[in-house]
Amino acid sequence: MREERLRSTAGLRGTPALTLSAWRGHSGRRYVVGVHDLVEPDLAEMGEAVVMAVRRDAAGVAELVALSTAGETPRERLQNWVARARNSGATEMHVHRLAEDESERRAIVADLDGPATTGTQA
């Protein structure tokens, strides 16, 4: 599983840039994500999603640190998860909002989960 950077609207005049990226799962499926700073207050506005805590090396290559789903009450569910991710060096939260329901979100987590992230779900 790996990140695949996407072009965004950064070059368009009058439009604020939306930072997008994508992750390729073990199955080969690609999951488009919005990239955000790993900030706890953003959790209240997140909604139902797959969330990934990410750190970058000196070359800018993303490493998945933690992976979980956010349901109807993301703040309560992910508050400790964010703290643990930060302690592991994560500085970004990648959010995939296109899953239809909780079972699809869990399937995406399973597709993206690897040895480095095993056991890091909320």
Side-chain angles (χ1 to χ4, degrees):
M1 144 247 12
R2 68 185 184 282
E3 180 189 34
E4 299 175 344
R5 301 297 288 260
L6 298 177
R7 294 182 192 194
S8 70
T9 58
L12 300 177
R13 289 187 185 166
T15 305
L18 173 63
T19 305
L20 296 175
S21 192
W23 285 83
R24 183 82 55 185
H26 295 290
S27 69
R29 281 188 65 191
R30 187 172 82 163
Y31 306 100
V32 175
V33 297
V35 178
H36 309 272
D37 291 332
L38 187 62
V39 179
E40 191 175 311
D42 290 344
L43 295 177
E45 299 175 11
M46 181 184 316
E48 298 174 350
V50 174
V51 293
M52 297 168 252
V54 174
R55 68 176 161 229
R56 292 197 182 273
D57 65 17
V61 176
E63 178 186 354
L64 187 58
V65 173
L67 178 64
S68 189
T69 62
E72 294 178 17
T73 55
R75 184 175 187 86
E76 290 78 15
R77 181 174 178 156
L78 296 177
Q79 199 166 16
N80 290 332
W81 179 85
V82 168
R84 288 191 311 269
R86 233 188 243 119
N87 286 338
S88 296
T91 58
E92 297 176 1
M93 182 166 38
H94 293 200
V95 183
H96 176 75
R97 293 182 173 93
L98 301 176
E100 293 288 325
D101 55 27
E102 182 63 21
S103 65
E104 188 174 342
R105 287 188 292 277
R106 290 190 185 280
I108 292 168
V109 166
D111 191 24
L112 291 170
D113 203 7
T117 58
T118 301
T120 58
Q121 296 178 26

